[in-house]
Amino acid sequence: MTDAPAASQVRKIRMRPRLAQLMAEKSGGMYVAEALKRADATLETLREPSLTGIDELIIALDALLAAEAGAEPAARIEGLYQLAANIVGLCGAERNVAVQVAARSLCELLDEADGLSPSILAGVKVHIASIKLLHRAADNPALQGPILQGLASVLEKGRAESKAQG
């Protein structure tokens, strides 16, 4: 007879992570990947209405620029600024940031303008034309870069004109 100890048996107890327990206890809990997937799906449903909203704001910019040539410059600047700011607000639907950069640049140009001199109006027209080109376009930095650099130059020219007048 041998007095050898009986072989011990290893028992593995798998503990459920605390995070998993908390998520199970909370109704509606989900993993980050699932939350991001749902957020993307929600954004996709809002994408086309937002892009259509930008289309309408671009039309309104053109109309305001054309129709109110005799209007008070301060009111006209404010109207153009508000429309450009609204475009910035809808730019989350764009597949690139170029439209947002262009609309922000237009806001800066209008915000810093003392009036609507011919060169400021020309700058506004260039910004609106650029927003039209960039809107709904594919994300292509090679094509967007020169446009955005041109807008930066227009903005600097407007700033220089404002300093010269002031």
Side-chain angles (χ1 to χ4, degrees):
M1 191 181 222
T2 59
D3 288 328
S8 65
Q9 190 174 5
V10 176
R11 290 180 58 197
K12 292 183 181 179
I13 300 174
R14 189 170 178 123
M15 298 289 293
R16 192 170 180 186
R18 182 170 152 82
L19 178 60
Q21 289 174 349
L22 289 172
M23 288 178 63
E25 292 170 8
K26 301 279 185 188
S27 64
M30 69 181 77
Y31 289 102
V32 171
E34 178 64 23
L36 291 174
K37 190 179 359 174
R38 287 184 185 185
D40 284 342
T42 300
L43 284 175
E44 194 58 36
T45 62
L46 298 174
R47 187 176 187 309
E48 190 55 40
S50 294
L51 293 175
T52 301
I54 293 172
D55 291 335
E56 292 168 0
L57 290 167
I58 291 170
I59 292 168
L61 279 169
D62 280 338
L64 183 59
L65 199 57
E68 295 195 28
E72 183 178 325
R76 197 167 173 208
I77 288 173
E78 182 58 33
L80 292 167
Y81 182 94
Q82 189 59 53
L83 291 170
N86 290 343
I87 289 174
V88 171
L90 292 175
C91 279
E94 291 283 354
R95 297 273 189 216
N96 61 64
V97 298
V99 173
Q100 183 178 20
V101 171
R104 283 184 187 272
S105 180
L106 177 55
C107 286
E108 287 182 44
L109 179 69
L110 292 165
D111 194 37
E112 297 171 9
D114 291 331
L116 286 175
S117 66
S119 63
I120 296 294
L121 277 173
V124 169
K125 290 176 183 177
V126 167
H127 276 80
I128 294 171
S130 298
I131 291 169
K132 287 178 186 177
L133 285 172
L134 297 168
H135 178 51
R136 293 184 184 262
D139 189 13
N140 186 342
L143 295 174
Q144 296 164 347
I147 293 171
L148 297 177
Q149 288 173 351
L151 293 179
S153 296
V154 169
L155 183 58
E156 287 304 313
K157 184 178 179 182
R159 288 176 175 154
E161 181 182 310
S162 293
K163 284 182 183 179
Q165 290 177 354

